[in-house]
Every structure is written in structure tokens, then in C-alpha cells.
Amino acid sequence: MSDLPDHIGWDLVRASRVWLAEFESEVVAAGHPWFAEARGRLVEHIGRDGAEQGAIAIRAGLTKQAVAQHLDSLERDGLIRRETLEGDGRKRRVVWTGQGLRALHDIDIAKGRVEARFRLRLGDDAFRHLRDGLKRIADVRQET
């Protein structure tokens, strides 16, 4: 990687890849191999309280068809269900099943384990500053 320009963008990308690899490994080890597949990327876009299917596609930056295929797979595995929205039979809301909520609990535990390793690597103060800085960077994107 020495041929890449040295700037914070590449640092962020490399750190993100390390985070994701460790996170996925923990979640898979907890019994959720689907999380390391493309459909696992939808978890952050569904949220704990569920979401309207079209909104998931927009948040994920995927086509409605691709999202529908991933959701079909999650539904077959018993992790989510889709409900018709009152007042508009064409729109559907995605909600977690009991099994899906248990998976989210395991995902939370995995996140905590990875976060604890990062905290140990950096120290408490540096870890807190890193999180604060990353949140400020992300907030700028949301403001635009």
C-alpha cells in the first residue's frame, strides 16, 4: 500500500476494513453467517423499529429490486417479516421477528467485543477522541 497517497481518507478506509472484518467475524462466530453476506448490510438500514421497504433501498443506495431480493432471503430465514402499511397496500414495512431481534442482540454483543479491543489498542482517551471526531465528520455529511 506504500504506493497510495498518504492522507486521512486511506487511513479511514483501512481502519474501516479492519473494523468490519473483526465485526463480521464476531457476528459469524455467534452463529449468524448471513451477516457477512450482502444481505447483512441491510441491518443498519432497517433499524430496531423497522423501516419502510422503499426507505431501506434509498438508505442502502441499492435498487428496490436488490433490496427486495435480500429481504426475501432474510424473511425465508425467519429474521424479518414484511407488513402492508395501512392506507397504502403497495408499501410494506420491514420489521424484525423474535429471531431477528435475538440476532440483533448478538450483533450488539459482537460490536461491544470489537469496540473493547479497539479501546485497548488506543487507550480510553484516544478512543473517546476518535469516536468524537468520527461523529463530527459524519455529522457534516448529514447537514448537507
Side-chain angles (χ1 to χ4, degrees):
M1 296 252 185
S2 61
D3 58 338
L4 293 176
D6 184 24
H7 60 76
I8 192 169
W10 290 117
D11 295 336
L12 289 167
V13 167
R14 287 190 300 270
S16 176
R17 287 181 182 149
V18 169
W19 163 263
L20 186 57
E22 289 190 30
F23 185 42
E24 284 181 350
S25 178
E26 286 282 344
V27 176
V28 168
H32 307 287
W34 58 269
F35 189 78
E37 300 167 5
R39 61 189 177 147
R41 301 285 84 54
L42 294 185
V43 169
E44 70 178 290
H45 304 294
I46 296 171
R48 295 211 184 268
D49 296 328
E52 193 267 315
Q53 188 167 324
I56 295 168
I58 292 167
R59 290 181 201 148
L62 298 172
T63 65
K64 289 181 181 182
Q65 294 81 3
V67 168
Q69 288 176 350
H70 291 315
L71 293 175
D72 288 345
S73 178
L74 292 171
E75 194 166 33
R76 277 193 304 275
D77 285 351
L79 297 163
I80 59 128
R81 71 177 181 278
R82 290 181 262 197
E83 303 171 340
T84 303
L85 288 176
E86 269 188 53
D88 190 344
R90 296 170 298 160
K91 291 187 177 183
R92 300 192 325 172
R93 182 167 184 76
V94 176
V95 296
W96 296 102
T97 62
Q99 181 180 342
L101 291 171
R102 286 187 294 279
L104 290 181
H105 176 74
D106 291 344
I107 290 167
D108 287 342
I109 291 170
K111 184 217 52 110
R113 287 183 180 144
V114 176
E115 191 171 288
R117 288 197 298 269
F118 276 55
R119 187 180 296 276
L120 280 174
R121 288 179 202 160
L122 296 173
D124 287 340
D125 287 342
F127 183 81
R128 187 179 65 255
H129 289 300
L130 173 64
R131 287 207 60 198
D132 290 345
L134 291 172
K135 286 177 183 179
R136 285 197 304 268
I137 289 169
D139 287 345
V140 167
R141 169 90 190 221
Q142 291 175 358
E143 291 171 4
T144 59

